[in-house]
Amino acid sequence: MIYLFEDRKGRMGKFFSINSASKLFIEANFNCPETIGLSEYISNNFSDAKAILFHSSYEIANKNITKENIRQEFINRQTPFILFSGGLQNNYFFTSGTVQANVNSGTMYRNLRLFIEEFENEENINVPLLLFGKKYLMNEILSVQRLVIAYLSNKSSDDFLSNNELMNIKRLIKPAMNDPQLNEAKENLISYLSQKKCDITLSDIESEFHKISKNHL
Amino acid sequence: MNILIYRENFRIDFLPESFSNFSIEGYNSEIVDIGSINESENIDLDLSNLVSKGKDKKPDIVFIPSIIGQPLLYYGVRLAMHWRLDLENKEYYNTPIVIMGFEDEAVFYKNCEYSEFFKTPLVYYIKYNEIAIKEFVEDFVFKSIDFEIKGFIDFYNVKPPESYKSHHSITNEWSILRWAEALDIDNHETAKIKVSFGSTLYYKYLKNKYPISEAERPKNRMLVEKGKVLFIDDEVNKGWRSIFSHIIKDKLISFGDSFKDRPKKMIIEESIKKVKDINPDLVILDLRLHDDDFEDDIKPEEITGFKILQEIKNNINKGIQIIIFSATNKVWNLLELQEMGADGFIMKESPELSRDRSFTKRIINNIYSEIDKCIEKSFLKDINAKLNPIYECYSKKIRRIKSSDEQDFLIKTVSSLDIAFELLNKTTTGKKYFNLGYLTYFQIIEDFAARSDFFEDHSKEQCFVIKDNDKIKVVDNNSGDLIWKLKFIKDKPYNYFKIEDNTISESVNLTTMARISFILAFKFQKDNSYLKKWGELNQIRNSKVGHGGKKQNEYVNISEINELLDYIVIPFLKTLI
């Protein structure tokens, strides 16, 4: 279940109709009584949470609890935690392997339907999709492309890359580009780098990435 | 030549830490480590700090990676825009900025939402590569180019926050910083906003787009020498207190820091209690004091400030002046607020309004004049406090009594009191309204004097003042001589009556002045000094107000109105309570 904690219903209504959302998405209230611990409250009420969307200045009635406590509690449970607000710049990152994000409200609501649909169809919590919409694949490609180009930043365009360098590039690529839609591109790239030729240059690597990008623009 | 390179540290366990560590031989190159901005909730603040760090190095040219953090966000380009729009270190406004990109240039322009920025002077795109940097530096011909950022500002694709509340918040903070700058206010409250909102790219963009020039600054003025001003705002401690304290000085009492997280009902109750405790002459009232007030579809009458306005005007004292303070410029909202009794408006300056170069000056001058105007009208509070208990009694009596004549008289009196108040409420638009108000109160006394239970007039034969159930003969035709129990004293600057039997000529008219003098003397048992005062107040009516205002530009003042009320109108009104 994806839980949304939003106290500005008017703003939400402007971007998003809750009625046409999914059964796997609930707009909920966070009312943890003072008589019960936060952890117990979350276990009792949100144990099925697969992602939390939490308004940055959500009014928490129980003054002993802060937004930070709530975030930490969900992160401890390895539940992705997305903080949203009209004033936030977009960002996402991992804490102990669990994804967290800061998202601008407008961006989030614009992409929320896609995000919910992917969860419904693929059971996948795709936070980059929430930030970038359908361009999230491009972000994934660019993430690894940046690392490779930075790694090769002291090379000139026509320098041949050593086997060690090619191996390191493969090691950079392997853990990345994990979206199923990028499988083929990733395999092609790795097989290109695995050729036993010694004539691959920085310029060639750039061209390979350019080819992949073109297909996902 | 000083070269500055912003560098992001990539930590990959199987790669040496020094990878992507540029060294540009032959040049003095400085590195600023970007650090991690990934987890930041305030990216713009982090980027602003990076700009300051970079400018400390006094570079001749700056290299910035296009990507910092998540790629598609292109926070590197955003950092470059911060650099360019930063007005704190203006001397670096024209430093050449080179963006080092990781992708094909065409792909970059297609992906980057800030690509228009590259149409501005001295911004370049090269590959993220040490050799590319060297080549660029070697080929670059340095020449100082002077350009006005304002001329290129539309190439900065900086979007305002999208949510309604955030837009209001932008208006709030933009107004505070703008007005603080115009009024030369610099203290811890404004400094806090400078750090938070002032560090945002959007603010820097607006500041470049709508600069305040010296010529447009409003003149600082002192005002509010008397009276108390209560300022109610949930964001009182976020800078507004500084602005209004500067304008109103020690007459300002501010309230609202405790509103956050309080229910609407409690905010209203606490505000009303504060108004009752302080008894201010003027309330500057923020319209939206609760989060619900920011809902798009909220009706004006449900907005917290509107409810407080209603409560003060209907149930506390309609003479307390209220200036509505709001970001709204919706005419229908303003009209409704005016209908409810709002005496003035102070509109916060949204960025769109700053398009008009003279707006800041005009709006600040408007704040002064709105406050001036309301303080000038603060006498209405005392007038209402005097008359309202009587007004309330009359209103209740109207519903209770059966005699239609008496009911008509009370209705007419109540309506005259309303009219007089409304006329006095308009005195800031024209002093003639003081005269008209005076005249209306005067008319009320004339109506009383015409009542047969006050004065019985049997032509010139006999007249009686009615006191309780007795008739006191005050005019009598005694064997051809007309005897009055008052003597007319012709004096300067005004005439009056004094209590003394005397014979008068038949040609003398029984004027309003005479009738009221009789009533004052024999019904209210007032002495000669009182009658003399009445003569003075009557003279004011005749000279300044009456008969079409013979003398131009002579106006009744508020102390004369108060005297008319205290000496004459109120004693008359009290007889029917």
Side-chain angles (χ1 to χ4, degrees):
Chain A
M1 188 66 73
I2 297 169
Y3 287 96
L4 169 73
F5 297 95
E6 166 68 290
D7 45 6
R8 303 236 166 90
K9 319 282 183 202
R11 182 247 314 262
M12 179 175 70
K14 225 170 97 179
F15 295 97
F16 184 78
S17 162
I18 206 92
N19 299 330
S20 57
S22 152
K23 282 180 186 159
L24 297 173
F25 174 84
I26 291 180
E27 195 250 315
N29 293 318
F30 202 94
N31 286 326
C32 178
E34 292 191 12
T35 49
I36 186 172
L38 175 63
S39 182
E40 192 183 345
Y41 174 72
I42 289 178
S43 296
N44 293 346
N45 294 279
F46 309 113
S47 60
D48 58 346
K50 296 287 184 247
I52 300 294
L53 310 175
F54 202 89
H55 181 220
S56 180
S57 51
Y58 187 87
E59 196 179 316
I60 304 160
N62 182 343
K63 296 297 166 216
N64 300 320
I65 297 173
T66 64
K67 174 185 81 186
E68 205 37 56
N69 298 145
I70 298 170
R71 178 187 349 218
Q72 201 50 56
E73 190 60 38
F74 279 109
I75 293 300
N76 292 346
R77 292 160 188 263
Q78 295 180 318
T79 309
F81 192 90
I82 293 108
L83 201 65
F84 66 93
S85 164
L88 275 178
Q89 293 293 326
N90 297 328
N91 230 345
Y92 81 89
F93 51 98
F94 291 86
T95 306
S96 318
T98 301
V99 65
Q100 290 196 62
N102 299 317
V103 193
N104 181 273
S105 315
T107 308
M108 187 192 81
Y109 279 118
R110 256 195 305 280
N111 298 322
L112 187 53
R113 187 155 306 287
L114 286 173
F115 178 73
I116 296 168
E117 273 169 19
E118 175 146 342
F119 180 58
E120 251 180 347
N121 301 332
E122 317 282 338
E123 289 184 29
N124 183 28
I125 294 296
N126 188 344
V127 172
L129 179 65
L130 203 53
L131 268 79
F132 303 113
K134 287 183 174 167
K135 285 175 89 177
Y136 79 95
L137 289 173
M138 192 68 208
N139 193 63
E140 211 165 315
I141 296 163
L142 261 177
S143 293
V144 68
Q145 183 174 347
R146 173 174 61 149
L147 279 180
V148 172
I149 299 297
Y151 171 56
L152 300 174
S153 62
N154 57 351
K155 299 272 167 202
S156 70
S157 303
D158 47 6
D159 279 352
F160 294 116
L161 305 181
S162 70
N163 281 337
N164 187 42
E165 283 164 338
L166 291 172
M167 191 184 70
N168 278 341
I169 295 171
K170 278 192 277 185
R171 288 175 80 183
L172 286 171
I173 294 169
K174 272 181 185 161
M177 292 171 67
N178 286 324
D179 192 279
Q181 294 177 66
L182 295 176
N183 279 350
E184 194 187 334
K186 183 173 168 177
E187 278 168 23
N188 289 344
L189 188 55
I190 289 181
S191 89
Y192 174 77
L193 295 167
S194 305
Q195 296 171 61
K196 296 289 177 200
K197 293 184 199 167
C198 293
D199 61 352
I200 296 178
T201 62
L202 168 59
S203 181
D204 295 330
I205 299 278
E206 285 171 341
S207 303
E208 286 304 307
F209 273 112
H210 184 50
K211 273 188 239 165
I212 300 171
S213 304
K214 262 200 327 196
N215 294 329
H216 292 91
L217 273 176
Chain B
M1 187 199 311
N2 282 339
I3 296 173
L4 174 67
I5 301 172
Y6 281 97
R7 183 186 62 186
E8 197 171 11
N9 272 331
F10 299 98
R11 287 191 193 90
I12 309 290
D13 49 7
F14 57 87
L15 294 178
E17 275 208 20
S18 59
F19 93 89
S20 176
N21 197 3
F22 301 118
S23 82
I24 314 296
E25 280 170 29
Y27 297 96
N28 178 24
S29 58
E30 298 266 10
I31 299 288
V32 170
D33 275 322
I34 291 166
S36 171
I37 64 162
N38 251 349
E39 298 179 22
S40 172
E41 278 187 35
N42 194 343
I43 299 281
D44 277 341
L45 182 59
D46 292 349
L47 297 180
S48 291
N49 291 335
L50 284 172
V51 169
S52 302
K53 275 189 196 169
K55 289 189 174 177
D56 286 347
K57 310 271 186 197
K58 305 187 189 319
D60 297 306
I61 186 164
V62 184
F63 290 85
I64 304 174
S66 62
I67 293 169
I68 297 173
Q70 289 301 325
L72 272 190
L73 302 170
Y74 292 104
Y75 285 148
V77 185
R78 199 171 171 95
L79 171 62
M81 289 159 74
H82 268 280
W83 182 289
R84 196 60 98 219
L85 297 177
D86 176 33
L87 290 170
E88 298 299 317
N89 296 288
K90 279 185 191 165
E91 66 270 31
Y92 293 103
Y93 82 95
N94 61 354
T95 310
I97 296 176
V98 186
I99 297 293
M100 304 179 291
F102 300 87
E103 68 256 71
D104 176 86
E105 201 165 346
V107 175
F108 167 77
Y109 288 129
K110 198 156 187 182
N111 280 335
C112 178
E113 65 174 305
Y114 309 119
S115 57
E116 292 274 291
F117 172 58
F118 288 81
K119 291 182 182 166
T120 66
L122 300 172
V123 183
Y124 309 91
Y125 183 90
I126 63 166
K127 285 187 176 163
Y128 187 93
N129 185 283
E130 197 173 283
I131 296 151
I133 298 174
K134 274 182 196 159
E135 282 175 2
F136 185 89
V137 172
E138 279 161 13
D139 295 346
F140 190 67
V141 181
F142 269 96
K143 56 179 178 190
S144 175
I145 300 178
D146 268 332
F147 62 93
E148 282 232 15
I149 290 172
K150 196 172 179 294
F152 297 92
I153 199 73
D154 289 335
F155 293 122
Y156 289 74
N157 181 22
V158 187
K159 292 175 191 145
E162 299 179 63
S163 73
Y164 185 62
K165 171 87 188 339
S166 301
H167 186 68
H168 269 252
S169 165
I170 289 281
T171 298
N172 238 342
E173 285 154 347
W174 173 245
S175 301
I176 292 169
L177 289 185
R178 186 110 174 141
W179 296 359
E181 190 187 344
L183 291 166
D184 240 344
I185 302 170
D186 192 3
N187 60 29
H188 70 283
E189 278 184 358
T190 55
K192 257 166 82 180
I193 298 179
K194 245 185 186 165
V195 172
S196 56
F197 182 57
S199 66
T200 64
L201 189 60
Y202 187 59
Y203 173 71
K204 291 176 186 173
Y205 160 80
L206 292 174
K207 214 170 166 217
N208 278 280
K209 191 167 182 171
Y210 309 122
I212 301 180
S213 73
E214 287 299 322
E216 290 161 6
R217 284 169 198 272
K219 284 182 190 150
N220 276 346
R221 288 167 37 188
M222 276 283 289
L223 85 173
V224 191
E225 285 166 1
K226 54 181 181 157
K228 282 179 280 185
V229 182
L230 176 63
F231 173 45
I232 304 180
D233 191 332
D234 58 325
E235 300 203 314
V236 71
N237 55 2
K238 289 193 181 161
W240 287 122
R241 177 174 26 214
S242 303
I243 303 283
F244 284 108
S245 299
H246 179 87
I247 294 171
I248 296 165
K249 305 283 184 290
D250 59 343
K251 306 291 182 213
L252 184 82
I253 300 151
S254 50
F255 181 62
D257 344 32
S258 59
F259 287 173
K260 189 160 168 48
D261 301 340
R262 297 261 160 102
K264 204 170 191 168
K265 196 168 165 247
M266 198 187 274
I267 293 174
I268 297 169
E269 283 168 3
E270 285 180 3
S271 301
I272 294 305
K273 184 176 180 303
K274 193 75 182 175
V275 172
K276 284 180 178 165
D277 290 350
I278 301 282
N279 189 24
D281 298 281
L282 165 63
V283 179
I284 299 174
L285 178 62
D286 184 35
L287 194 58
R288 295 171 205 275
L289 297 164
H290 186 270
D291 271 359
D292 287 355
D293 298 334
F294 293 92
E295 299 292 344
D296 278 350
D297 50 355
I298 190 162
K299 292 179 187 143
E301 63 272 19
E302 287 168 2
I303 298 173
T304 312
F306 192 96
K307 284 182 180 289
I308 295 170
L309 165 72
Q310 240 175 347
E311 191 65 25
I312 296 172
K313 287 292 182 183
N314 292 346
N315 298 326
I316 300 183
N317 185 327
K318 66 178 172 180
I320 292 177
Q321 299 295 295
I322 300 182
I323 293 177
I324 295 293
F325 181 47
S326 170
T328 192
N329 53 6
K330 290 177 185 161
V331 176
W332 53 94
N333 276 358
L334 299 180
L335 287 176
E336 216 152 326
L337 287 159
Q338 200 166 26
E339 195 129 304
M340 187 35 65
D343 299 283
F345 298 95
I346 296 175
M347 198 193 292
K348 294 175 190 172
E349 182 173 347
S350 67
E352 305 88 75
L353 294 170
S354 306
R355 221 175 290 159
D356 172 355
R357 282 176 67 88
S358 60
F359 190 85
T360 305
K361 183 183 173 186
R362 283 198 284 122
I363 193 113
I364 292 177
N365 285 339
N366 177 63
I367 297 172
Y368 280 104
S369 67
E370 287 289 272
I371 295 173
D372 269 341
K373 182 185 84 183
C374 286
I375 290 292
E376 235 178 83
K377 284 199 304 176
S378 60
F379 63 84
L380 288 169
K381 184 183 82 173
D382 297 333
I383 289 190
N384 187 68
K386 277 180 203 175
L387 292 175
N388 199 48
I390 299 170
Y391 185 97
E392 292 292 321
C393 284
Y394 275 37
S395 303
K396 279 182 197 153
K397 210 169 168 186
I398 287 167
R399 291 194 291 273
R400 213 173 50 229
I401 59 171
K402 293 195 173 101
S403 152
S404 69
D405 283 351
E406 189 64 355
Q407 210 173 32
D408 288 349
F409 183 84
L410 293 175
I411 288 169
K412 189 180 174 200
T413 308
V414 161
S415 130
S416 296
L417 287 171
D418 278 337
I419 291 167
F421 193 87
E422 283 312 310
L423 290 167
L424 294 179
N425 199 20
K426 292 174 95 173
T427 45
T428 45
T429 60
K431 283 202 165 17
K432 66 176 181 187
Y433 292 107
F434 277 116
N435 291 1
L436 295 171
Y438 194 90
L439 203 59
T440 310
Y441 286 130
F442 207 94
Q443 183 61 48
I444 292 174
I445 321 163
E446 287 184 335
D447 291 345
F448 270 93
R451 284 174 65 106
S452 59
D453 56 349
F454 276 63
F455 193 85
E456 259 186 36
D457 180 1
H458 300 284
S459 182
K460 286 183 177 169
E461 295 299 309
Q462 283 185 325
C463 293
F464 299 93
V465 167
I466 315 298
K467 179 171 168 48
D468 304 325
N469 292 323
D470 296 334
K471 285 181 172 185
I472 303 162
K473 195 185 285 175
V474 292
V475 174
D476 192 13
N477 193 340
N478 193 355
S479 320
D481 287 338
L482 197 59
I483 309 292
W484 278 32
K485 285 191 171 296
L486 291 178
K487 185 177 182 184
F488 185 66
I489 308 293
K490 206 168 173 148
D491 201 358
K492 280 192 178 164
Y494 51 87
N495 309 323
Y496 58 94
F497 283 95
K498 74 182 223 188
I499 303 164
E500 186 180 316
D501 284 359
N502 71 108
T503 308
I504 62 158
S505 149
E506 276 195 28
S507 62
V508 173
N509 285 327
L510 194 59
T511 59
T512 300
M513 184 190 171
R515 278 170 172 259
I516 291 170
S517 297
F518 278 125
I519 295 167
L520 289 172
F522 298 100
K523 185 175 176 70
F524 297 146
Q525 316 260 276
K526 301 294 185 188
D527 61 13
N528 282 332
S529 66
Y530 209 97
L531 266 60
K532 194 174 175 183
K533 186 75 197 174
W534 160 237
E536 182 187 345
L537 294 167
N538 184 65
Q539 173 67 19
I540 289 166
R541 184 233 186 251
N542 290 338
S543 63
K544 294 188 181 175
V545 183
H547 314 303
K550 281 177 194 158
K551 291 183 187 171
Q552 293 280 313
N553 302 326
E554 256 206 88
Y555 302 108
V556 172
N557 61 42
I558 190 58
S559 69
E560 289 166 340
I561 288 180
N562 270 320
E563 283 187 333
L564 179 69
L565 289 173
D566 295 339
Y567 279 91
I568 315 294
V569 180
I570 291 173
F572 273 82
L573 289 169
K574 278 186 172 170
T575 57
L576 295 187
I577 287 178

